[in-house]
Amino acid sequence: PPSSPFAELLRRSKFASYDPAIRQTYSSPSAHAYRGDWGLKRPIALRRRNAFVSLASFESPAQFTEWNHAENQVRFIRRVEEMGVTPKTNVNSSWHQGLGKAKTEWLMDSDFCPGETHVLKSPKPSQTPVDLAGLGNKGPGQYGASRPLQWGDDSQIDTHVIPNVDAMSRKQFQRYLRNLRELRPQFKDYLQNQKTTGKKSLYELAQDSATDHHTQFILSHTSQAFQDRSSRQIEQQPHPNAGLMYACPSRLDAHL
């Protein structure tokens, strides 16, 4: 049977994407904002136009809607968009350190830009002509993590994601340490396969601060976990500027 009008309206509304962990902003047309109508269960005490709110909880046990003003956040993002420049992150910040490959490249994962994703290395355009008429029509099982690799044996899968210990809770960090201790035999095998280590012991390698064998091992182990088709882990791809601006204007656009 067809869905009810209310269910159809709910699916099309922005409220269907409400998540208290994501600070979304909401606005209301002037005619509705004048009556305090923001599309919620009950009116709120904000009755002026050009206002924005964020919801901490749309329904509390005390039967009221918990909301906060969000004009400053919205206007700040609008000012950044009006400048027409690509924001840069502080190189010493924890966000920049967790970006991985996004530090130097603008990552795109779309069927309409094949060869420019973070998973497959870009082939030469002359070797892989793209049929624009066939984009988006590959059928089920041809997209996402289950899609087959392209461009033969020349393609390589790589990842630049390392677990961010700064974002872990105490319990998550303790569990992460236990998992690392279980990887000690694999780490020894990894060092033996490296040509640069020679016959040095683990103690001698640990004294050399210029090497980062442990980082490369964790990177390799994480990459294998993401490549496993049976794994449920999803590779994190943080936005270069934390979603401040989704467009990527060139330097020419910024000067114009």
Side-chain angles (χ1 to χ4, degrees):
S3 59
S4 63
F6 174 77
E8 187 68 21
L9 290 175
L10 180 61
R11 281 196 298 267
R12 295 183 179 181
S13 66
K14 189 176 181 180
F15 187 75
S17 62
Y18 170 75
D19 187 349
I22 302 176
R23 189 178 176 85
Q24 299 187 76
T25 58
Y26 300 88
S27 62
S28 179
S30 301
H32 293 268
Y34 180 77
R35 299 190 296 268
D37 181 12
W38 289 73
L40 304 174
K41 187 175 181 179
R42 56 182 62 85
I44 62 177
L46 184 61
R47 304 173 183 270
R48 57 182 175 84
R49 61 181 182 178
N50 296 330
F52 301 89
V53 299
S54 62
L55 300 179
S57 174
F58 70 92
E59 182 65 22
S60 66
Q63 297 185 358
F64 71 93
T65 302
E66 185 178 356
W67 60 275
N68 298 295
H69 291 280
E71 287 88 354
N72 292 336
Q73 294 86 340
V74 173
R75 290 169 183 167
F76 175 76
I77 293 179
R78 287 181 175 178
R79 287 195 296 267
V80 174
E81 293 177 348
E82 289 175 356
M83 289 189 295
V85 297
T86 304
K88 302 294 184 181
T89 56
N90 187 354
V91 296
N92 297 323
S93 62
S94 59
W95 185 270
H96 181 82
Q97 296 174 2
L99 287 180
K101 200 172 183 179
K103 295 178 182 178
T104 56
E105 299 182 17
W106 190 265
L107 304 181
M108 292 179 288
D109 190 5
S110 172
D111 183 57
F112 294 92
C113 58
E116 298 182 3
T117 68
H118 64 280
V119 177
L120 300 176
K121 288 191 173 182
S122 301
K124 296 181 180 180
S126 59
Q127 297 179 356
T128 57
V130 179
D131 183 13
L132 298 180
L135 296 179
N137 301 318
K138 295 181 180 179
Q142 300 296 321
Y143 302 96
S146 60
R147 61 184 173 185
L149 298 181
Q150 303 176 8
W151 309 312
D153 298 333
D154 295 333
S155 62
Q156 298 181 8
I157 298 180
D158 56 351
T159 180
H160 293 256
V161 175
I162 295 179
N164 187 3
V165 295
D166 296 330
M168 296 181 183
S169 63
R170 183 179 296 273
K171 291 183 178 180
Q172 291 175 339
F173 182 68
Q174 295 297 333
R175 183 168 59 250
Y176 176 64
L177 289 181
R178 290 195 298 268
N179 294 335
L180 285 182
R181 294 188 182 101
E182 296 176 356
L183 296 176
R184 284 178 177 174
Q186 301 180 25
F187 180 59
K188 293 180 180 179
D189 296 338
Y190 173 82
L191 292 177
Q192 293 177 358
N193 296 330
Q194 300 298 314
K195 298 180 180 180
T196 57
T197 57
K199 297 183 179 180
K200 296 181 180 179
S201 63
L202 293 178
Y203 178 79
E204 293 175 340
L205 293 174
Q207 304 308 310
D208 189 0
S209 59
T211 60
D212 59 345
H213 297 293
H214 63 287
T215 304
Q216 296 299 325
F217 170 74
I218 296 175
L219 189 64
S220 175
H221 179 74
T222 307
S223 177
Q224 294 176 4
F226 289 138
Q227 294 177 31
D228 187 4
R229 296 296 177 87
S230 61
S231 175
R232 294 181 177 271
Q233 298 187 33
I234 300 177
E235 181 179 353
Q236 301 89 351
Q237 290 295 337
H239 194 268
N241 49 60
L244 181 60
M245 188 173 184
Y246 288 95
C248 184
S250 63
R251 298 183 63 181
L252 178 61
D253 296 333
H255 284 294
L256 293 177

